[in-house]
Amino acid sequence: MNESKQYRDVSRRQALIVVGAGGLAAAGLTLLPQAASADAAAVDAAIKGLIGGKTPQAGRITLDLPQIAENGNTVPITVEVDSPMTEQDYCKAVHIFADKNPQPGVASINFTPACGKAKASTRMRLAKTQNVVAVAEMSDGSVYTAKAEVKVTIGGCGG
Amino acid sequence: MRRIALAAVAASGLTVMLAGTALTDETNWGAYEVGDKRSGYTYAAAETRSIQDDDFENPAMLWVDTGQELWDTVEGEAGKACASCHDDAAVSMAEVGAIYPVYYEPRGKLINIEQRINLCRTENMKAKAWKWESRELLSMTAFVRNQARGRPVAVKIDGPAAPFYEKGKEFYYQRRGQLDMACKSCHEDNAGNMIRANLLSQGQSNGFPTYRLKWQKVGSLHRRFRGCNSQVRATPYKAGSDEYVNLELFLADRGRGLPVETPAVRN
Amino acid sequence: MAKPKPRVKVPKTAAKGEVLEIKTLITHKMESGQRKDKKTGEKIPQKIINKFVCAFNGKEVFSADWHPAISANPFMSFYAVATESGTFEFTWTDDDGSVYSKTAQLTVE
C-alpha cells in the first residue's frame, strides 16, 4: 500500500506542474462559476461569530485531508479531536471552513458524550487550492484550531 | 513510437506530459491488474480508490440499492416484476455483467445490458422502456452488473458476434474529430501520461456504470464514450447506437480477465 | 428529482460500552446555488440538505449543519457508544422543508 501511495504522489505532483495557475483558475470556474471567493478575513469573521472573543489555541485537532485533491467536487475530510468525551469533559462541536470558497462555511459538526469519540468524516467541494480550517469548541469553553492546505487540480475532462 | 504519438497530440493543441515514473511503476495491483491490462482503479487517487473500496462509502451503491428495489417492483400490463421471472438476482444474474454485450438472434445484432433490460420491460412485462441515462436504467444496470462483481470479463467474440467485434475494433482505431485522434491515441499510446490535468488510464470498461466525481453521479459507459468523442471534437453517437454497442464489445474483450468492478468510482 | 434515498451502516449487535462507527449516505444533488444553467445563463437556486441528525431512543447523539460546500450525495460517518438496545433514527432536512429518514435497530448484549 505504501508503494502505491508513493506512485500516486509522484504522478500527482506532475499533474500540478502541467496545470499551473491558469488551470487552477479554470478548475474553480467549472466548479463554482462567477463566484467571488471568501478570504481569510471572512473566515476569521465567521469564526468570531461562532465563538465570540475567545482566542483559539493550536493542538488537539487532527485533520486528515489529501494534499492534492483529484477532484474539487469531492474532497474527503476527517477531523478528530483529542477529548475523553465524558459528561464532564467533551468536545461540543467542530466547525469547518474553506477560505477560498464562495462561502467559507463547510459544516458544523455537533458531538455529545454519547458519541464516545470526537471523530467524523464527510466530503466537501473546494473551488480551488486553499486552506481548510477546523475550529473545535470544548465543553469547558476552550477553543482549538487547525489548518491544512489542499491543492485542487482540474476535475475530469470531456464527459 | 511514443514520441511520435506525443508530438501528434501536442500539435492538436492538447498538453500531454510524460510521467516517466508512472510508467516504471512496480506496484502490485492485485486483481485490478491482469498481465498488461490495468483497471482505471490503478490510475485513480488513493482517496478515490478508498471511496470505491467500501460499499458504505461508495455513493454509487445508492443506485445499486435503487436497482434492487426496482427488481422487486411490479410494473406493466403483464403484472410482473423482474423477480417474478428471474427470482434471486444473485443467482440468475451472476454472470450477465461479465459476458455482455451478446449477439441477439431476433435482432441480428449485439445487445448490451441496458438493451436487454429494456427488452424484458417491453416484451416480458409490457411496460415502457426506460430512457437512456435515466435514474431507473442506470440503477438497474448497476444492480445487474454488480451481481457479477469480481468475475473476470469474458465476452464472446467469435461466431455471430465476430463481425460486430470487428466493427468495434475498427471504431477504436479510427482517428476522428477536429483533433484527429483515435481512442488508441489516448488510451494505448498515452496510458500513464498526463493530459491537461488528467492521468490517462487504459480506458477500460469493467467498472461501468461508474460514479464519476466530475458528474457527481452514476453514468453509463455510453455517456463516457460521448464525452471521449466530444473531447477530440468529434460528433458523438447516440447512447445505445449500434456503433457504441459494437465498441462496447471490443472494449470488453480488450479488458478480458479484468474483474467486473461495478459500481466503480472514478475522477 | 426522485425522493432521496438513504443508506446507513450500523452494527446489528454490540457489547455494552463499545464505540460503534456509523456511516451514512443519501442521494441528493446538493445544488450549491453557485451554478448557472448552461442554457439560460441563470443561477440555479440553492437546494441542499442543511441538517443531519442521528438520535438513539429519541435522544440526539450527533448532528451536523451542512452548507453548500458539502458534496453531492453527502457522506457522513461518526461514532456512538452502545449503551442499551434500541433504535437509531437518522434524519436529513432539505432546504424545502422535506425530511428524509431511516432507522436501524441495535441489540446490546
Side-chain angles (χ1 to χ4, degrees):
Chain A
M1 241 26 254
N2 252 344
E3 250 177 327
S4 78
K5 256 210 177 100
Q6 246 171 11
Y7 153 67
R8 260 324 297 192
D9 283 353
V10 171
S11 48
R12 282 151 92 211
R13 207 166 297 134
Q14 300 201 351
L16 268 185
I17 300 169
V18 180
V19 177
L24 292 176
L29 285 177
T30 37
L31 195 63
L32 303 154
Q34 316 283 312
S37 64
D39 54 24
V43 170
D44 286 346
I47 294 172
K48 275 230 168 66
L50 284 165
I51 63 167
K54 290 178 192 136
T55 313
Q57 315 164 45
R60 287 181 77 166
I61 305 177
T62 309
L63 257 185
D64 187 6
L65 283 159
Q67 279 186 324
I68 303 174
E70 182 162 51
N71 192 307
N73 279 339
T74 308
V75 183
I77 174 171
T78 299
V79 288
E80 181 163 13
V81 181
D82 179 14
S83 162
M85 295 304 275
T86 59
E87 292 291 340
Q88 296 73 36
D89 182 4
Y90 65 98
C91 171
K92 279 164 59 183
V94 174
H95 310 281
I96 302 164
F97 303 94
D99 66 0
K100 296 255 175 4
N101 268 0
Q103 295 168 24
V106 173
S108 288
I109 291 167
N110 310 300
F111 298 106
T112 65
C115 290
K117 212 183 208 187
K119 182 177 180 184
S121 304
T122 185
R123 298 171 192 148
M124 63 187 167
R125 294 167 167 147
L126 293 180
K128 53 179 108 166
T129 294
Q130 56 186 301
N131 286 315
V132 173
V133 181
V135 176
E137 288 184 77
M138 315 302 278
S139 56
D140 67 1
S142 60
V143 179
Y144 293 83
T145 187
K147 178 167 93 172
E149 194 194 46
V150 180
K151 291 199 166 65
V152 178
T153 62
I154 295 181
C157 73
Chain B
M1 270 314 283
R2 176 171 304 281
R3 201 157 299 138
I4 294 167
L6 278 178
V9 174
S12 359
L14 290 171
T15 333
V16 174
M17 194 183 137
L18 264 177
T21 34
L23 292 173
T24 55
D25 170 34
E26 300 281 320
T27 310
N28 177 7
W29 289 106
Y32 296 103
E33 180 177 39
V34 176
D36 55 2
K37 293 164 191 173
R38 272 171 55 184
S39 156
Y41 180 91
T42 69
Y43 294 88
E47 299 82 41
T48 308
R49 281 185 265 127
S50 78
I51 295 176
Q52 177 177 325
D53 287 345
D54 184 334
D55 279 355
F56 287 90
E57 295 193 13
N58 183 347
M61 288 306 292
L62 293 162
W63 275 256
V64 173
D65 282 353
T66 301
Q68 166 88 69
E69 249 167 45
L70 291 169
W71 182 262
D72 295 319
T73 307
V74 173
E75 258 194 86
E77 283 165 30
K80 295 215 187 303
C82 314
S84 321
C85 299
H86 296 295
D87 294 326
D88 183 1
V91 178
S92 60
M93 298 291 137
E95 269 203 319
V96 172
I99 61 170
Y100 267 62
V102 295
Y103 179 75
Y104 185 61
E105 182 77 50
R107 292 202 172 165
K109 58 181 188 178
L110 301 180
I111 55 166
N112 68 5
I113 297 177
E114 283 92 337
Q115 291 165 328
R116 177 67 249 186
I117 291 169
N118 270 336
L119 270 173
C120 276
R121 283 187 58 85
T122 53
E123 291 178 8
N124 294 324
M125 298 169 74
K126 308 283 175 228
K128 265 201 183 155
W130 281 320
K131 279 209 190 110
W132 204 278
E133 225 59 28
S134 62
R135 185 183 66 97
E136 289 83 2
L137 190 54
L138 284 171
S139 298
M140 185 58 80
T141 308
F143 171 71
V144 167
R145 207 167 184 218
N146 180 248
Q147 307 307 312
R149 187 159 62 172
R151 279 189 185 242
V153 172
V155 284
K156 228 173 131 46
I157 60 165
D158 55 0
F164 302 97
Y165 168 84
E166 287 304 326
K167 281 185 197 165
K169 183 174 181 179
E170 205 175 294
F171 191 107
Y172 192 85
Y173 289 105
Q174 190 181 342
R175 294 176 167 274
R176 65 186 74 242
Q178 281 176 36
L179 302 190
D180 195 33
M181 290 168 81
C183 311
K184 169 191 188 290
S185 318
C186 284
H187 296 299
E188 284 189 2
D189 301 338
N190 283 296
N193 295 340
M194 301 300 303
I195 181 161
R196 297 203 184 100
N198 290 283
L199 178 60
L200 280 168
S201 75
Q202 295 179 353
Q204 298 289 1
S205 56
N206 57 317
F208 281 85
T210 287
Y211 190 94
R212 268 192 87 191
L213 305 184
K214 174 186 165 136
W215 294 336
Q216 302 185 63
K217 68 191 289 273
V218 167
S220 71
L221 179 60
H222 291 200
R223 178 175 180 187
R224 181 77 246 194
F225 288 166
R226 286 175 62 82
C228 281
N229 276 163
S230 305
Q231 266 179 73
V232 298
R233 300 198 199 109
T235 313
Y237 290 81
K238 268 203 178 137
S241 61
D242 293 346
E243 286 83 358
Y244 279 177
V245 178
N246 295 340
L247 178 62
E248 188 174 339
L249 180 63
F250 172 75
L251 268 198
D253 179 68
R254 190 175 163 262
R256 179 179 295 278
L258 286 174
V260 172
E261 267 172 50
T262 310
V265 181
R266 300 283 188 266
N267 179 28
Chain C
M1 196 167 100
K3 194 170 177 279
K5 192 170 176 52
R7 179 174 171 88
V8 301
K9 183 193 190 183
V10 182
K12 287 196 174 65
T13 58
K16 197 173 163 65
E18 202 179 326
V19 179
L20 312 172
E21 186 178 22
I22 297 176
K23 293 182 176 179
T24 69
L25 278 166
I26 187 164
T27 50
H28 199 285
K29 274 191 165 177
M30 296 296 279
E31 194 60 63
S32 67
Q34 302 289 343
R35 288 199 319 144
K36 281 190 172 178
D37 186 313
K38 274 187 196 147
K39 286 186 191 114
T40 64
E42 306 216 348
K43 256 198 183 179
I44 304 169
Q46 174 184 317
K47 187 180 182 298
I48 64 168
I49 291 172
N50 57 55
K51 185 94 189 166
F52 167 77
V53 178
C54 166
F56 185 70
N57 288 345
K59 193 162 176 261
E60 181 172 319
V61 173
F62 174 94
S63 74
D65 303 288
W66 288 341
H67 299 295
I70 292 294
S71 305
N73 306 307
F75 169 75
M76 187 87 237
S77 74
F78 53 93
Y79 294 81
V81 187
T83 48
E84 54 179 350
S85 296
T87 309
F88 280 105
E89 186 178 18
F90 304 93
T91 51
W92 293 260
T93 307
D94 198 300
D95 276 346
D96 71 6
S98 316
V99 176
Y100 320 114
S101 64
K102 178 135 184 138
T103 56
Q105 304 298 322
L106 174 74
T107 305
V108 171
E109 287 153 349

